[in-house]
Amino acid sequence: MQKNKENLKQLIRAGRGLIPAHTVIRNGNLVNVMSSEIYLADVAIYEDTIVAIGDVTDYIGPETKTIDATGKYLVPGLIDGHLHSECSKLSITSFAKAVVPCGTTSIVSGLDEYISVSGLEGLHEIFAEVKASPLKVFWGAPYKTPYTFPQSTVAFNFTEEVHKEVQQWPECFGVWETVREAVQVEDEDTLGAIEQAFKNRLPIFGCAPMVGGKDLNGYLCAGIRLDHESYDHTEVVEKMRKGMHMVIRESSVTHFLKENIRAVTEVNPYLARRVSFCTDDVTATDVLEKGHVDNVVRLAIAEGVEPMTAIQMATINSAEAYRIDHLVGSISPGRIADILLVDSPENFQVEAVITNGRLVAENRKLNYDLKAPARSSVLSSALKCKKTTREDFEYKVDIENGQAKVLSMDVKGPFVRKRRDVTVKVQNSIVIPDTEQDVLMVSVLERFGRNGNKSLAFCSGWNLKKGAMASSAAPDDNNLIVMGADASDMSIAVNHLIENGGGQVVVADGEIIEFLPLPVGGIASDEDAEKIAHREALLTKAANQLGCNLPEPLMYMFFLPITAIPDYAITDVGPVDCIALNTFDPILELIQD
């Protein structure tokens, strides 16, 4: 994507037909997202760039390769407008192998989970990995790390001073996931990141769930351009009427498209041109079974969106929202040659994928062997925390026997936790988890060797009858989270992850039931999606056998440290009231026998 005088001269000459194209696509039906038309047209490609559309006879030389697209539709490569690829537990290489054959050729990401565990040094290694893959990553510098309020512990803190450096990098296309709370409390580092973005003319990407009225007005006055977090279509409408681009999310655990697309199908069809798509957090299982952004296109069409409009939402709308439409988002001269061959706009089944001018995938598979790079110690998954004992997960109080009224964080969806007051037993000065009342212990342990923090609180909604679950992948700080009905099993789960360099584990009756290793930073794996999906299924089955009936038990658990969505969360500094933005004591009252 870098331009210089010499390659510009070559591209200009190729565009004028003075030198032959390297590749031409013949006889396809061009889906022109710029003009909302479909018509027969050829495409000429020089190196990685589209140089002509229409009749390209004059662009063909003796060495020009031809791709026959007879009967197929030519669609721009799809763009995921907000994605934490790390939450799939797939490395960039493995993720590219899974989603590029589905037609996703670009993602917008902060790569923030990698930053939280490896800092800028690890980020540079990920940038190198991206360049070797067929998947483009338009990187937004995280507005700060960690995202949590109060501030939790991560391996690297992204500050205003860091922004002064990284916003000058060629990889930087904006400021990533600027949460409403940080703006509202006038956080100095956040405002500093925004100040730098204005100086550098970079867009500011938002994250403002369930915000409206005066709070939304104040947020927009900070210069936020777009948002990917709306919980109903009325929220979408208000934000769009106030000038925002909206990125509708359809993830593996938050299925918002059906509700949010009503802003277009029921309220105002003219809003469509400023709506785009993202998946945010997806599992390997979902990608294999449903697809990726291509699945979101099909879902939108099923909800009544015209195929052309749905395709625009997945391509040019996203590119324009993120100000990258000069590079991707359309099949136009001067744009990078990311082109899909699909069966029809209505069915939208991707049959072949061209990225950077090269045919890379056919029939849902890459057509070459893409290998992950060797991993340095920077992205090793060593967990720098001490082994635990049962006592680390026993909640001790000042009475010997009696009852404790506790605040249990009750899950109402993957991100929303509400207050639930429950009375449980106290025995030998320990508050006892109560599986009959669905009250479990949950703890987050700092794992970067910075302070040894460890929190402890209560949660509900998982319905575990015994055992424990733990994960070293836990956005947004990726500390070690463990939940369980038994303190001994919780300790065994944590220690297993420490001994094995990270991953996800289910334990029962002192035994390891299932384990998924995550050797890349303790958050991802270089295994193919099929293997990760298989292990995900085994982990879910194990959690189900312990009594949990949530659709994604470990994913619901590893979202508990996110403090950006009301009402409750837990980080290594303690249980958090996400409205008051401070920690709280989960013991509400003690009653002595």
Side-chain angles (χ1 to χ4, degrees), residues 24-42:
V24 295
I25 306 172
R26 303 299 302 269
N27 307 314
N29 297 290
L30 178 65
V31 179
N32 193 322
V33 296
M34 304 298 283
S35 62
S36 300
E37 298 174 284
I38 299 175
Y39 51 88
L40 282 172
D42 302 333

Side-chain angles (χ1 to χ4, degrees), residues 520-573:
V520 183
I523 59 175
S525 170
D526 286 321
E527 296 283 6
D528 287 348
E530 289 80 3
K531 290 187 178 180
I532 298 300
H534 177 65
R535 301 307 304 184
E536 284 177 344
L538 293 177
L539 285 165
T540 297
K541 182 179 179 181
N544 293 158
Q545 290 172 342
L546 299 184
C548 182
N549 57 6
L550 292 175
E552 295 284 349
L554 280 94
M555 207 169 195
Y556 272 56
M557 178 186 73
F558 81 24
F559 286 140
L560 270 172
I562 294 175
T563 63
I565 301 173
D567 291 343
Y568 297 98
I570 183 170
T571 71
D572 67 297
V573 301

